Amino acid sequence: GQQVMQIPQYQHVQEGEDFTTYCNSSTTLSNIQWYKQRPGGHPVFLIQLVKSGEVKKQKRLTFQFGEAKKNSSLHITATQTTDVGTYFCAGGRAGNNRKLIWGLGTSLAVNP
Amino acid sequence: KAGVTQTPRYLIKTRGQQVTLSCSPISGHRSVSWYQQTPGQGLQFLFEYFSETQRNKGNFPGRFSGRQFSNSRSEMNVSTLELGDSALYLCASSWGGGTNTEAFFGQGTRLTVV
């Protein structure tokens, strides 16, 4: 079945370093959403990308949706300890707008 | 406005028992989705309810069932519990469901099966 692969699974960085997580789908997505889950918490919506090649920024976070709408990335510039958590991507399947396909998440640890 | 409320927050059950979890969505939201989260497995979709109808279902055995009431509150039931059912169960509500609307998650119910 269709999957959304997310890499890396884990990432340790020093505070101030950059961080990127990638999502890759085997088929075209209608849209992609990103969520963040803090340790012990629940997923919280960050952003949605819909258009081919779309780039959106939220302060130090940059989100991209690939031209073919099969991949996406989340880049954090100059990580802070508050960025710690697991970042999930979730793709909408083209032709079927009722179920999100979730990546397994990237867990980010930031050393102060 | 109030967020998504899940009860109970923690639950310990014995293998073979059954359990019912509850989710109250954000007021006005008609879609409720349920997920199972275990370490290393991410979020596994269980099912989605919209206006009291199951609109989508994941690949879980029939022991997992759910329902939605007219006020959009939803319950999830797991019968004949197995040790592998130990997980964090999350529900998410959204206004219309689908993949292009923001989902608001509850704090989850941590189920431990012993």
Side-chain angles (χ1 to χ4, degrees):
Chain A
Q2 181 186 12
Q3 297 180 18
V4 172
M5 307 302 293
Q6 194 171 351
I7 55 170
Q9 188 175 1
Y10 304 100
Q11 183 88 59
H12 282 80
V13 299
Q14 286 294 130
E15 190 171 22
E17 291 182 339
D18 292 355
F19 159 77
T20 304
T21 173
Y22 301 90
C23 273
N24 297 294
S25 169
S26 54
T27 59
T28 302
L29 301 171
S30 56
N31 61 295
I32 195 154
Q33 296 180 350
W34 286 91
Y35 291 78
K36 176 184 178 181
Q37 185 174 22
R38 294 181 185 273
H42 58 279
V44 174
F45 177 85
L46 293 176
I47 209 160
Q48 173 169 271
L49 304 171
V50 179
K51 299 177 183 176
S52 169
E54 189 169 15
V55 178
K56 288 188 176 180
K57 294 190 177 185
Q58 289 179 349
K59 297 182 181 178
R60 294 178 294 103
L61 278 60
T62 301
F63 304 84
Q64 295 190 32
F65 201 10
E67 293 290 341
K69 300 182 74 173
K70 289 185 176 182
N71 54 70
S72 181
S73 64
L74 157 59
H75 179 81
I76 302 178
T77 303
T79 55
Q80 300 175 359
T81 54
T82 53
D83 295 325
V84 166
T86 300
Y87 293 85
F88 291 96
C89 64
R93 195 161 51 178
N96 181 339
N97 66 348
R98 293 184 176 176
K99 188 167 73 172
L100 286 169
I101 310 299
W102 289 78
L104 293 182
T106 296
S107 292
L108 173 64
V110 180
N111 297 325
Chain B
K1 54 185 176 183
V4 178
T5 303
Q6 289 188 247
T7 56
R9 290 291 310 277
Y10 303 92
L11 208 48
I12 299 176
K13 288 286 188 178
T14 303
R15 192 171 45 181
Q17 288 186 312
Q18 67 95 27
V19 67
T20 299
L21 312 181
S22 179
C23 173
S24 293
I26 290 172
S27 178
H29 285 189
R30 296 161 65 189
S31 169
V32 173
S33 296
W34 287 89
Y35 293 88
Q36 182 194 67
Q37 186 174 35
T38 53
Q41 292 299 313
L43 288 150
Q44 301 293 313
F45 174 77
L46 282 154
F47 27 65
E48 181 206 1
Y49 286 88
F50 183 86
S51 293
E52 303 179 64
T53 300
Q54 188 181 86
R55 192 159 72 169
N56 220 329
K57 191 175 187 306
N59 298 320
F60 277 80
R63 300 185 297 108
F64 292 81
S65 63
R67 59 178 174 171
Q68 187 179 33
F69 302 95
S70 58
N71 62 358
S72 293
R73 188 178 72 85
S74 178
E75 289 183 347
M76 190 192 93
N77 184 275
V78 188
S79 63
T80 320
L81 283 166
E82 300 177 358
L83 296 179
D85 296 332
S86 295
L88 178 67
Y89 290 88
L90 292 160
C91 84
S93 81
S94 64
W95 183 82
T99 64
N100 58 358
T101 56
E102 176 182 351
F104 294 82
F105 283 82
Q107 300 276 23
T109 294
R110 174 77 60 185
L111 172 65
T112 302
V113 182
V114 297

